[in-house]
Amino acid sequence: MAKILITGAGSGFAREAALRLAEKGNSVIATVEIVAQIAGLKKEAEERGIDLQVEKLDVTNSDDHNKAWKWDIDVLLNNAGISEGGSAVDIPLERVRRQFEVNVFGPLALTQGFAKKFIKNKKGKIVFLSSVAGLSADPFTGAYAASKHSIEAFAEALNKEVSEFGVQVATINPGPYLTGFNDRMFETWKEWKVDGENTIFDYSKIAFPHEQYDPEAIVDLIVKVLSNEIDNYRNLLPESFAEQIKEQQKLIWTKKQNSTSGKRDELVQKAYEIKPGTPVEG
């Protein structure tokens, strides 16, 4: 059984994964961004008869990093993250900076401290909860995708750098899963300090441009990767998206520039047509 630290366990995939990993007998430290989230997660663990340590850890807070580095762990899951929707031509830069603080700089800083401990001990595992957005980019998700592309780069470099020290690295790349995370991304424009008349797109009419899957598959995948039941470096679901991503990466080498005729991209059009939270049929 492993000693596992999970960030961003207050909601989404990581919350249920933390509970299941602890249920399997692992020593799990489930961390949440704010103190107010602690009680709810502790209560759920108690109701399910699970021994779970719940702590406050804001990945952008250096004091929280110093506290966390004192914990004795074998596995680190960098899951905490936020999503900011908006076109590259409209999104306020301060919102992009915040995206990188939470999704890139914070997790990287936390990882550095634990990686040095793992290297010293000649063992340990670092897992990054990335996204298919780390391997591709859709309209209105550029900021989020850019942050996940950065995580992919750091993960791949780190994987090569720590190989000689017996430290493992892996990524988990969910596609569109129905946790509320993707739909909230397309609501963040309401917090912009920008006059809507000065934006190119009408964000009140735009939604996440994909049907979304049941998140159970990703929870199961996280548990298996962290429990060493799966040893792949990259772990992407659903499988249909994995094939799409591979094809997109091939086509990028032959893609032509936009036509001057002004044709709207298919996913831009779908963002205007789809309803938020649309599930995958069947």
Side-chain angles (χ1 to χ4, degrees):
M1 296 296 103
K3 299 175 183 177
I4 303 170
L5 171 62
I6 300 176
T7 67
S11 62
F13 305 127
R15 184 185 180 98
E16 180 61 25
L19 290 162
R20 292 192 195 178
L21 284 161
E23 200 168 29
K24 288 167 66 75
N26 297 287
S27 177
V28 179
I29 305 174
T31 68
V32 297
E33 181 187 4
I34 56 176
V35 172
Q37 294 175 303
I38 293 176
L41 184 50
K42 278 188 173 181
K43 182 179 180 181
E44 184 173 356
E46 290 171 0
E47 290 174 347
R48 291 169 59 168
I50 298 170
D51 183 14
L52 181 69
Q53 182 179 344
V54 184
E55 301 282 352
K56 182 260 185 184
L57 196 168
D58 178 348
V59 296
T60 66
N61 187 313
S62 59
D63 289 337
D64 284 1
H65 294 168
N66 289 325
K67 177 181 68 175
W69 290 329
K70 296 176 183 177
W71 298 329
D72 181 23
I73 65 168
D74 306 306
V75 182
L76 168 65
L77 172 60
N78 285 302
N79 166 80
I82 60 173
S83 54
E84 182 77 33
S87 167
V89 300
D90 288 330
I91 188 169
L93 287 182
E94 66 267 18
R95 307 294 293 194
V96 179
R97 292 189 181 96
R98 175 63 179 167
Q99 183 84 104
F100 273 75
E101 288 291 343
V102 177
N103 289 7
V104 182
F105 302 136
L108 179 59
L110 184 67
T111 295
Q112 287 179 337
F114 280 115
K116 289 172 182 174
K117 292 176 67 174
F118 291 166
I119 288 169
K120 182 178 180 181
N121 295 333
K122 301 294 183 181
K123 64 177 183 178
K125 187 169 189 173
I126 300 165
V127 181
F128 294 92
L129 204 300
S130 181
S131 170
V132 296
L135 308 171
S136 64
D138 286 341
F140 312 119
T141 66
Y144 178 68
S147 72
K148 291 303 183 180
H149 274 68
S150 295
I151 284 297
E152 288 289 328
F154 279 120
E156 188 163 353
L158 183 66
N159 184 53
K160 296 171 183 175
E161 293 158 356
V162 300
S163 174
E164 65 184 281
F165 304 107
V167 179
Q168 296 177 307
V169 177
T171 70
I172 297 174
N173 300 69
Y177 283 89
L178 193 52
T179 64
F181 185 84
N182 297 316
D183 296 307
R184 289 193 296 272
M185 185 191 320
F186 280 72
E187 294 290 326
T188 56
W189 62 271
K190 295 177 181 179
E191 301 173 7
W192 294 358
K193 299 176 182 178
V194 175
D195 186 341
E197 294 182 358
N198 293 324
T199 61
I200 298 299
F201 296 95
D202 184 350
Y203 295 99
S204 67
K205 298 179 180 178
I206 291 173
F208 181 69
H210 293 284
E211 291 80 8
Q212 300 179 64
Y213 295 80
D214 185 325
E216 170 61 27
I218 292 295
V219 173
D220 183 60
L221 179 61
I222 292 172
V223 170
K224 288 179 177 177
V225 171
L226 270 62
S227 299
N228 290 320
E229 295 177 49
I230 294 176
D231 62 359
N232 293 337
Y233 166 77
R234 174 169 290 154
N235 302 273
L236 195 157
L237 286 179
E239 292 183 2
S240 60
F241 261 69
E243 294 307 313
Q244 289 179 35
I245 295 299
K246 291 175 184 177
E247 188 62 27
Q248 287 177 18
Q249 291 176 334
K250 290 179 183 178
L251 291 176
I252 198 72
W253 293 98
T254 56
K255 181 184 290 189
K256 302 299 182 182
Q257 297 175 29
N258 289 338
S259 167
T260 57
S261 63
K263 181 181 178 181
R264 174 175 278 181
D265 182 87
E266 291 180 2
L267 276 180
V268 172
Q269 182 62 36
K270 188 171 182 179
Y272 277 101
E273 296 174 351
I274 196 170
K275 292 182 179 179
T278 300
V280 172
E281 294 184 1

